[in-house]
Amino acid sequence: MSIRFTAKARRGMVALTIAAGLAVGVAGCGGGGDDKKPEASASASKSGSSGASTQEGTDEPVAELKGEDGLVLRIDSVQRDSGGFLTVSGEMKNDGDKAARVSVRTAGDETEIIRHGSSLGGATLVDSKSKKRYYVLRDTDGRPLTTTGMPRIDSGASIPVFMQFPAPPTNTTDVTFQLPTFASATIQISG
């Protein structure tokens, strides 16, 4: 399969890559919906006021969300940056016994995001304290600021993923992360 980018798209990808590196990952979101969720549990990391976070060097994930076909989304970091964005990053792992693809439903149901191909654009953050839902950010061409074009993942393999959202107010420390076809989890914002 051949993927072609226009010069403008390449410049956008370079800018996005640089921004992702500076922000220690980028996060995305998209349309919510009534997607059928698998009956799987999500486990948020144990956190106390003096506990170490993943960003402080522990191997404990912020959350692990189980999806279809043995896929597991491991969230390793949820970071605010000075530009008013929130970056969720981690990895998508295939714990199944055969190769699997991330469902096209993870892109959500918004036409603008779907027209740019497979992505994690359907991710949302719910701030129940402020009663707000945050969707994946997009560039000026409507592309979601999230991992896109995900390949087939072999059994036991993983790929790095990110999603970028507008940052909730600084007094919000916990949000519910949702991604179609995966279980939901409450995640703690650091930074």
Side-chain angles (χ1 to χ4, degrees), residues 104-179:
V104 296
R105 294 182 298 175
T106 60
D109 56 9
E110 291 185 36
T111 305
E112 184 68 20
I113 290 179
I114 292 172
R115 76 181 184 99
H116 292 291
S118 66
S119 72
L120 301 178
T124 60
L125 298 177
V126 177
D127 177 1
S128 56
K129 184 176 170 183
S130 299
K131 296 181 175 37
K132 291 185 179 180
R133 180 182 301 252
Y134 297 91
Y135 295 93
V136 172
L137 292 169
R138 295 139 198 207
D139 68 13
T140 56
D141 292 325
R143 289 180 195 83
L145 297 183
T146 179
T147 303
T148 59
M150 291 158 291
R152 176 178 298 241
I153 305 171
D154 291 330
S155 177
S158 62
I159 59 171
V161 296
F162 73 88
M163 294 148 274
Q164 190 167 35
F165 302 88
T170 54
N171 64 346
T172 298
T173 57
D174 294 322
V175 290
T176 301
F177 177 85
Q178 299 173 332
L179 180 65

Side-chain angles (χ1 to χ4, degrees), residues 52-127:
S53 71
T54 302
Q55 296 80 12
E56 294 170 351
T58 69
D59 287 335
E60 185 74 20
V62 174
E64 284 189 354
L65 294 77
K66 295 184 182 197
E68 299 175 333
D69 300 326
L71 293 176
V72 176
L73 173 60
R74 176 182 165 139
I75 298 174
D76 293 321
S77 132
V78 184
Q79 286 286 131
R80 291 181 193 274
D81 72 17
S82 59
F85 305 112
L86 183 75
T87 300
V88 176
S89 59
E91 67 180 18
M92 184 76 66
K93 183 175 182 185
N94 181 356
D95 277 347
D97 55 0
K98 60 183 178 180
R101 286 206 180 274
V102 177
S103 172
V104 296
R105 294 182 298 175
T106 60
D109 56 9
E110 291 185 36
T111 305
E112 184 68 20
I113 290 179
I114 292 172
R115 76 181 184 99
H116 292 291
S118 66
S119 72
L120 301 178
T124 60
L125 298 177
V126 177
D127 177 1

